[in-house]
Amino acid sequence: MELLERAILENGRVLPGDVLKVDGFLNHQIDVQLLSKMGKFVYERFSDCKVDKILTVEASGIAFACLTAQFFCCPVVYAKKSRTSNLSKDCYSSTVRSYTHNNVNDILVSKNYLKAGENVLIVDDFLATGEAMNGLIDLVGQAGGNVVGVVSAIEKGYQKGGDRLREKGYDVLSLAIIDKMDENGIVFRKQ
Amino acid sequence: MELLERAILENGRVLPGDVLKVDGFLNHQIDVQLLSKMGKFVYERFSDCKVDKILTVEASGIAFACLTAQFFCCPVVYAKKSRTSNLSKDCYSSTVRSYTHNNVNDILVSKNYLKAGENVLIVDDFLATGEAMNGLIDLVGQAGGNVVGVVSAIEKGYQKGGDRLREKGYDVLSLAIIDKMDENGIVFRKQ
């Protein structure tokens, strides 16, 4: 999606440690109008899928998921990263390694909010190794739902998590796929 | 706001420990259409304030903040609860006690995303003792911005945090104010 690629080039920064810093519009400050246009783009691709629910994970997936869900007129469910006192004990859970934060988290969704037979679109801000997406797919599977698509705003294509999901047969949409990035610049995959 | 009060009565549950469980539509599963209507309601109240930015805190404030910001055509900034590897070292920070989670967190915002002279509307899902709101107000103050309003979806009026903010002169809008809740039911404050 050209608009997002332009935002990445204009406002993103490549930092040491394979970090793409896009906290000016995606995951700290949020350009709500841009994310809403991205949500419309996602809707146009998946509008024939009868999406019952969008599933994401806290915290950085929530904005994109909500602004996308508006077009589908469906609810969002976000998986939690800790077992807070408010979370029901009756949860689906999956273990996810975060390379960004260098830790391992269980992600949890109350059994009340994922059901058998539901068509679920998975949405997150980043897709790199695919750990978080695989965790979310696992949660949908535990509930007996159907993953109709896997959507990321930005895919780090060179980390191969997206391609592994495509090989498994998932319908993966990333609005920008980065095939290479370093101090000299960012190369997007042609889509 | 009658629509929200009805959602609370129909889908909320009062649990021991002063917990109002509204995770079916507000902070785990999100009724995006309801929150968008709530956002419009907020806009109608603050539309003359020249809001430059909406400030909230991860994770449960993000959905309501983004769906509100659409009407103001302004960005959202969400304060983070941990110093992740992606967060700039140059941050405003404030210490906040959470009674729900029984812990103390620093909340942080990069100095890039709060600026002197900005008109900031603070938005969160809950207002109880006011700890989180006071932390967010503190961050805006450190940046030299102006708090034009403090908005919560649900205020636990009997915990007095909202009234203390009103006494200090803040323009506080809560879409539903609960004056009493127990196993017998929920009493809303007339507004």
Side-chain angles (χ1 to χ4, degrees):
Chain A
M1 187 198 183
E2 202 192 323
L3 196 65
L4 175 60
E5 291 181 358
R6 207 160 59 219
I8 294 168
L9 292 175
E10 285 173 6
N11 303 308
R13 279 184 305 143
V14 181
L15 299 184
D18 192 44
V19 171
L20 176 65
K21 208 169 168 60
V22 284
D23 65 354
F25 62 93
L26 188 60
N27 50 25
H28 184 19
Q29 179 167 258
I30 299 163
D31 181 338
V32 171
Q33 288 162 290
L34 171 62
L35 266 65
S36 181
K37 285 175 189 156
M38 289 160 53
K40 187 162 184 239
F41 188 94
V42 174
Y43 176 69
E44 284 163 2
R45 166 73 181 275
F46 287 99
S47 59
D48 59 350
C49 283
K50 267 194 62 25
V51 171
D52 294 312
K53 199 163 276 182
I54 288 178
L55 177 67
T56 188
V57 57
E58 66 177 3
S60 55
I62 296 172
F64 182 32
C66 286
L67 293 164
T68 300
Q70 286 204 300
F71 296 98
F72 290 94
C73 299
C74 76
V76 165
V77 173
Y78 62 90
K80 304 208 172 190
K81 286 181 179 164
S82 61
R83 202 175 279 278
T84 67
S85 60
N86 276 358
L87 188 62
S88 152
K89 281 173 187 64
D90 213 14
C91 288
Y92 301 111
S93 77
S94 190
T95 301
V96 171
R97 168 171 295 280
S98 166
Y99 290 89
T100 314
H101 303 142
N102 192 26
N103 61 11
V104 173
N105 277 303
D106 279 346
I107 60 171
L108 305 121
V109 169
S110 162
K111 290 187 179 176
N112 292 323
Y113 305 128
L114 283 178
K115 297 291 183 188
E118 281 179 338
N119 288 333
V120 179
L121 185 65
I122 294 176
V123 171
D124 205 0
D125 58 340
F126 270 94
L127 166 53
T129 62
E131 284 275 331
M133 293 299 195
N134 280 313
L136 292 168
I137 290 169
D138 182 27
L139 295 177
V140 176
Q142 288 177 43
N146 313 309
V147 174
V148 298
V150 175
V151 175
S152 79
I154 302 176
E155 178 180 337
K156 290 179 171 172
Y158 56 90
Q159 291 198 12
K160 303 294 181 195
D163 290 336
R164 281 192 291 270
L165 288 171
R166 291 180 184 96
E167 283 160 19
K168 285 185 190 167
Y170 290 104
D171 190 356
V172 179
L173 170 65
S174 293
L175 275 52
I177 304 181
I178 295 173
D179 270 339
K180 187 161 180 269
M181 67 176 202
D182 55 28
E183 65 277 13
N184 298 312
I186 295 172
V187 178
F188 293 106
R189 187 180 299 179
K190 285 211 168 26
Q191 298 198 72
Chain B
M1 188 197 185
E2 202 192 323
L3 197 63
L4 175 60
E5 291 180 357
R6 208 160 56 216
I8 295 168
L9 292 175
E10 286 174 6
N11 303 308
R13 276 184 306 144
V14 181
L15 300 184
D18 192 44
V19 171
L20 176 64
K21 206 168 171 61
V22 284
D23 66 355
F25 62 94
L26 187 61
N27 50 23
H28 185 19
Q29 179 168 259
I30 300 163
D31 182 337
V32 171
Q33 290 163 289
L34 171 63
L35 266 65
S36 181
K37 284 175 189 155
M38 289 160 52
K40 186 161 185 241
F41 188 94
V42 175
Y43 176 69
E44 284 163 2
R45 165 72 181 275
F46 287 99
S47 59
D48 58 349
C49 283
K50 265 192 64 24
V51 171
D52 294 311
K53 201 162 274 180
I54 288 179
L55 177 66
T56 188
V57 58
E58 66 177 4
S60 55
I62 296 173
F64 182 32
C66 286
L67 294 164
T68 299
Q70 287 203 300
F71 297 98
F72 289 94
C73 298
C74 76
V76 165
V77 173
Y78 62 90
K80 303 205 173 193
K81 285 182 179 163
S82 62
R83 203 175 277 278
T84 68
S85 59
N86 276 359
L87 188 63
S88 153
K89 281 174 187 60
D90 214 13
C91 287
Y92 301 111
S93 76
S94 191
T95 302
V96 171
R97 168 171 295 280
S98 166
Y99 290 88
T100 314
H101 303 141
N102 192 25
N103 61 11
V104 172
N105 277 303
D106 280 347
I107 60 171
L108 305 120
V109 170
S110 162
K111 290 188 179 175
N112 292 323
Y113 305 128
L114 282 179
K115 298 289 182 189
E118 281 179 339
N119 288 333
V120 180
L121 184 66
I122 294 175
V123 170
D124 205 0
D125 58 340
F126 269 94
L127 166 53
T129 62
E131 284 275 329
M133 293 300 195
N134 280 312
L136 293 168
I137 289 169
D138 182 27
L139 295 177
V140 176
Q142 289 177 42
N146 314 309
V147 174
V148 298
V150 175
V151 174
S152 78
I154 302 175
E155 178 180 337
K156 289 178 173 173
Y158 57 92
Q159 291 198 12
K160 303 292 179 197
D163 290 335
R164 281 192 292 269
L165 288 170
R166 290 179 185 96
E167 282 160 21
K168 286 183 188 167
Y170 289 104
D171 190 355
V172 178
L173 169 65
S174 294
L175 274 53
I177 304 180
I178 294 172
D179 270 338
K180 186 160 181 270
M181 67 175 202
D182 56 28
E183 64 278 13
N184 299 313
I186 295 172
V187 178
F188 294 106
R189 188 180 300 180
K190 286 212 167 28
Q191 297 199 71

Short mmCIF file of all heavy atoms in Angstrom, two decimals, chain B residues 153-175:
data_model
loop_
_atom_site.label_atom_id
_atom_site.label_comp_id
_atom_site.label_asym_id
_atom_site.label_seq_id
_atom_site.Cartn_x
_atom_site.Cartn_y
_atom_site.Cartn_z
N ALA B 153 -14.84 6.49 29.85
CA ALA B 153 -16.06 5.79 29.48
C ALA B 153 -16.90 5.57 30.74
O ALA B 153 -18.06 5.96 30.80
CB ALA B 153 -15.73 4.47 28.80
N ILE B 154 -16.28 4.98 31.76
CA ILE B 154 -17.01 4.62 32.97
C ILE B 154 -16.29 5.19 34.18
O ILE B 154 -15.11 4.90 34.40
CB ILE B 154 -17.13 3.08 33.12
CG1 ILE B 154 -17.84 2.48 31.89
CG2 ILE B 154 -17.89 2.73 34.40
CD1 ILE B 154 -17.89 0.96 31.90
N GLU B 155 -17.00 6.00 34.94
CA GLU B 155 -16.45 6.55 36.19
C GLU B 155 -17.09 5.84 37.38
O GLU B 155 -18.31 5.72 37.45
CB GLU B 155 -16.73 8.05 36.25
CG GLU B 155 -16.23 8.71 37.53
CD GLU B 155 -16.52 10.23 37.56
OE1 GLU B 155 -16.68 10.84 36.47
OE2 GLU B 155 -16.62 10.78 38.67
N LYS B 156 -16.24 5.35 38.28
CA LYS B 156 -16.76 4.84 39.54
C LYS B 156 -16.87 6.04 40.48
O LYS B 156 -15.92 6.41 41.18
CB LYS B 156 -15.82 3.79 40.12
CG LYS B 156 -15.86 2.47 39.35
CD LYS B 156 -14.87 1.48 39.95
CE LYS B 156 -14.99 0.10 39.33
NZ LYS B 156 -13.92 -0.81 39.80
N GLY B 157 -18.04 6.68 40.43
CA GLY B 157 -18.23 7.96 41.12
C GLY B 157 -17.94 7.87 42.61
O GLY B 157 -17.41 8.81 43.22
N TYR B 158 -18.25 6.72 43.20
CA TYR B 158 -18.11 6.55 44.65
C TYR B 158 -16.65 6.48 45.08
O TYR B 158 -16.35 6.56 46.26
CB TYR B 158 -18.87 5.31 45.12
CG TYR B 158 -18.45 4.05 44.42
CD1 TYR B 158 -17.45 3.25 44.94
CD2 TYR B 158 -19.05 3.67 43.22
CE1 TYR B 158 -17.04 2.10 44.28
CE2 TYR B 158 -18.66 2.53 42.55
CZ TYR B 158 -17.65 1.74 43.08
OH TYR B 158 -17.25 0.61 42.42
N GLN B 159 -15.73 6.36 44.11
CA GLN B 159 -14.31 6.37 44.48
C GLN B 159 -13.73 7.78 44.42
O GLN B 159 -12.56 7.98 44.77
CB GLN B 159 -13.51 5.40 43.60
CG GLN B 159 -13.88 3.94 43.91
CD GLN B 159 -12.83 2.96 43.40
OE1 GLN B 159 -11.73 3.32 43.01
NE2 GLN B 159 -13.19 1.68 43.41
N LYS B 160 -14.51 8.73 43.94
CA LYS B 160 -14.25 10.17 44.13
C LYS B 160 -13.10 10.76 43.30
O LYS B 160 -12.83 11.95 43.40
CB LYS B 160 -14.00 10.51 45.62
CG LYS B 160 -15.14 10.08 46.54
CD LYS B 160 -16.38 10.90 46.28
CE LYS B 160 -17.54 10.48 47.18
NZ LYS B 160 -18.83 10.97 46.67
N GLY B 161 -12.42 9.94 42.51
CA GLY B 161 -11.34 10.48 41.69
C GLY B 161 -11.83 11.52 40.69
O GLY B 161 -11.18 12.55 40.48
N GLY B 162 -12.98 11.28 40.10
CA GLY B 162 -13.56 12.22 39.14
C GLY B 162 -13.94 13.53 39.81
O GLY B 162 -13.64 14.62 39.30
N ASP B 163 -14.58 13.45 40.98
CA ASP B 163 -14.99 14.67 41.66
C ASP B 163 -13.79 15.49 42.13
O ASP B 163 -13.83 16.72 42.10
CB ASP B 163 -15.91 14.33 42.85
CG ASP B 163 -17.27 13.83 42.34
OD1 ASP B 163 -17.64 14.19 41.19
OD2 ASP B 163 -17.95 13.08 43.05
N ARG B 164 -12.72 14.80 42.54
CA ARG B 164 -11.52 15.55 42.91
C ARG B 164 -10.95 16.32 41.71
O ARG B 164 -10.49 17.45 41.86
CB ARG B 164 -10.45 14.60 43.49
CG ARG B 164 -10.73 14.21 44.96
CD ARG B 164 -9.53 13.51 45.59
NE ARG B 164 -9.29 12.19 45.02
CZ ARG B 164 -9.82 11.04 45.49
NH1 ARG B 164 -10.61 11.05 46.55
NH2 ARG B 164 -9.53 9.90 44.91
N LEU B 165 -11.00 15.70 40.53
CA LEU B 165 -10.53 16.41 39.33
C LEU B 165 -11.44 17.60 39.00
O LEU B 165 -10.96 18.67 38.63
CB LEU B 165 -10.47 15.45 38.13
CG LEU B 165 -9.34 14.41 38.17
CD1 LEU B 165 -9.53 13.36 37.08
CD2 LEU B 165 -7.98 15.10 38.01
N ARG B 166 -12.74 17.41 39.17
CA ARG B 166 -13.68 18.52 38.91
C ARG B 166 -13.40 19.67 39.87
O ARG B 166 -13.43 20.84 39.49
CB ARG B 166 -15.13 18.03 39.05
CG ARG B 166 -15.56 17.09 37.94
CD ARG B 166 -17.01 16.58 38.09
NE ARG B 166 -17.30 15.61 37.04
CZ ARG B 166 -17.20 14.28 37.20
NH1 ARG B 166 -16.89 13.77 38.38
NH2 ARG B 166 -17.45 13.47 36.18
N GLU B 167 -13.14 19.32 41.13
CA GLU B 167 -12.86 20.37 42.13
C GLU B 167 -11.59 21.16 41.78
O GLU B 167 -11.49 22.35 42.07
CB GLU B 167 -12.69 19.75 43.53
CG GLU B 167 -14.03 19.41 44.17
CD GLU B 167 -13.89 18.37 45.28
OE1 GLU B 167 -12.77 18.21 45.81
OE2 GLU B 167 -14.91 17.71 45.60
N LYS B 168 -10.66 20.46 41.14
CA LYS B 168 -9.43 21.16 40.72
C LYS B 168 -9.64 22.00 39.47
O LYS B 168 -8.72 22.66 39.01
CB LYS B 168 -8.33 20.13 40.43
CG LYS B 168 -7.72 19.49 41.67
CD LYS B 168 -6.58 18.55 41.24
CE LYS B 168 -6.05 17.74 42.39
NZ LYS B 168 -5.18 16.62 41.93
N GLY B 169 -10.85 21.90 38.87
CA GLY B 169 -11.15 22.75 37.72
C GLY B 169 -11.05 22.06 36.37
O GLY B 169 -11.25 22.71 35.33
N TYR B 170 -10.78 20.78 36.35
CA TYR B 170 -10.71 20.08 35.06
C TYR B 170 -12.13 19.85 34.52
O TYR B 170 -13.07 19.63 35.29
CB TYR B 170 -9.98 18.74 35.20
CG TYR B 170 -8.50 18.93 35.44
CD1 TYR B 170 -7.95 18.77 36.72
CD2 TYR B 170 -7.66 19.33 34.42
CE1 TYR B 170 -6.60 18.97 36.94
CE2 TYR B 170 -6.30 19.53 34.64
CZ TYR B 170 -5.79 19.36 35.89
OH TYR B 170 -4.46 19.58 36.11
N ASP B 171 -12.24 19.89 33.21
CA ASP B 171 -13.50 19.61 32.54
C ASP B 171 -13.57 18.09 32.35
O ASP B 171 -12.97 17.54 31.43
CB ASP B 171 -13.53 20.35 31.20
CG ASP B 171 -14.90 20.29 30.55
OD1 ASP B 171 -15.79 19.61 31.10
OD2 ASP B 171 -15.06 20.92 29.49
N VAL B 172 -14.28 17.43 33.25
CA VAL B 172 -14.33 15.96 33.26
C VAL B 172 -15.64 15.49 32.64
O VAL B 172 -16.71 15.92 33.06
CB VAL B 172 -14.23 15.42 34.71
CG1 VAL B 172 -14.32 13.89 34.72
CG2 VAL B 172 -12.93 15.88 35.36
N LEU B 173 -15.54 14.63 31.65
CA LEU B 173 -16.73 14.01 31.06
C LEU B 173 -16.61 12.50 31.22
O LEU B 173 -15.66 11.89 30.73
CB LEU B 173 -16.82 14.35 29.57
CG LEU B 173 -17.88 13.56 28.78
CD1 LEU B 173 -19.29 13.89 29.26
CD2 LEU B 173 -17.75 13.84 27.27
N SER B 174 -17.57 11.91 31.92
CA SER B 174 -17.65 10.46 31.98
C SER B 174 -18.96 10.04 31.36
O SER B 174 -20.02 10.59 31.70
CB SER B 174 -17.55 9.97 33.42
OG SER B 174 -16.26 10.26 33.94
N LEU B 175 -18.90 9.09 30.46
CA LEU B 175 -20.11 8.74 29.70
C LEU B 175 -21.11 7.97 30.56
O LEU B 175 -22.30 7.96 30.27
CB LEU B 175 -19.72 7.98 28.43
CG LEU B 175 -19.38 8.89 27.25
CD1 LEU B 175 -18.33 9.91 27.60
CD2 LEU B 175 -18.95 8.10 26.03
#
